[in-house]
Amino acid sequence: MKITSLDQLDLNATYSYADYLKWQIEDRIELIKGKIFKMSPAPATRHQLYVGEIFRQISNYLYRNSCKVFVAPFDVRLSPLKRLDSSKIYTVVQPDICVVCSHDKIDSKGCNGAPDLVVEVLSPGNTDMEMNEKFEIYQENGVLEYWLVEPNDRIVLVYVLNESGAFIGLKPFTESETIHSKAIDGFEILVKDIFDV
């Protein structure tokens, strides 16, 4: 049976990436540990402006670099078991922005494995998901650096993976401060520039 609507699926069931590939659903969804999460409707204008500015600055910095930057929608398949068999992948997310420096992770369907940097801009309705479920997923899978951009307070929370595989939260970066990325050697961004677009 052709799956074209979320109504055709049991939202309590556990699904794999192989299932995800068969669906023809118009809604943007993510799989987190096999569970379906419907993404928010089209993001607000300010969300898109902030994502666009961060993407522009990273993209300009990485021009002709071996690292590549991607903007949502872009499927990132994650499995803490590090298996390549799509039937064993139970997490597919679409970060606002991700940077991948390993070419062997990039394929025609997106990224298979942990990006080096993930940036999520918080919106009403997605804060719990980004700060809890995705935080754990990104940490478990070895994302080197995770940024949470908080538009209401105009701050950026930065988490860096330590040698033990746990995220360490740096102090919140305010508008007057510059973030120096640990995942992208030499890249920096003034927080004020993100919000003053």
Side-chain angles (χ1 to χ4, degrees):
M1 178 173 76
K2 187 174 171 182
I3 304 292
T4 58
S5 167
L6 280 178
D7 297 336
Q8 295 173 271
L9 297 170
D10 177 357
L11 299 182
N12 295 315
T14 300
Y15 297 100
S16 71
Y17 179 61
D19 298 319
Y20 175 91
L21 285 176
K22 295 175 193 170
W23 302 333
Q24 297 174 7
I25 299 171
E26 286 190 25
D27 294 317
R28 285 185 56 209
I29 60 169
E30 293 179 308
L31 278 183
I32 308 279
K33 297 183 178 179
K35 300 299 180 195
I36 297 172
F37 288 88
K38 186 175 177 183
M39 297 179 73
S40 305
T45 301
R46 94 177 165 163
H47 176 280
Q48 293 299 81
L49 288 169
Y50 302 155
V51 168
E53 180 59 22
I54 298 166
F55 177 81
R56 184 189 69 76
Q57 289 202 31
I58 293 174
S59 182
N60 286 347
Y61 183 79
L62 293 179
Y63 181 67
R64 297 194 185 215
N65 187 297
S66 60
C67 296
K68 302 299 175 200
V69 60
F70 300 94
V71 66
F74 179 75
D75 282 349
V76 174
R77 302 169 329 261
L78 299 171
S79 172
L81 302 174
K82 305 289 187 232
R83 297 215 178 136
L84 295 177
D85 179 357
S86 64
S87 66
K88 302 297 182 203
I89 295 172
Y90 293 95
T91 298
V92 184
V93 290
Q94 294 185 353
D96 286 326
I97 299 168
C98 66
V99 174
V100 183
C101 295
S102 229
H103 287 281
D104 61 336
K105 291 181 181 179
I106 300 170
D107 60 26
S108 63
K109 291 180 174 34
C111 176
N112 189 14
D116 296 82
L117 169 67
V118 168
V119 180
E120 298 279 13
V121 176
L122 298 177
S123 297
N126 79 350
T127 303
D128 282 350
M129 170 73 74
E130 310 302 352
M131 296 189 82
N132 294 312
E133 284 91 349
K134 285 189 178 180
F135 181 96
E136 286 180 21
I137 289 291
Y138 294 147
Q139 180 175 257
E140 283 174 8
N141 284 273
V143 170
L144 299 178
E145 190 170 353
Y146 182 34
W147 296 7
L148 284 166
V149 179
E150 215 310 321
N152 292 334
D153 296 325
R154 295 173 72 96
I155 61 170
V156 180
L157 304 173
V158 176
Y159 299 91
V160 178
L161 204 68
N162 69 10
E163 307 79 38
S164 306
F167 277 141
I168 302 299
L170 308 181
K171 70 172 218 50
F173 287 85
T174 61
E175 289 185 85
S176 63
E177 297 176 299
T178 299
I179 301 170
H180 299 270
S181 175
K182 306 278 188 225
I184 307 171
D185 190 39
F187 177 72
E188 58 184 52
I189 187 170
L190 176 65
V191 174
K192 188 176 192 314
D193 287 347
I194 296 170
F195 300 113
D196 284 352
V197 290

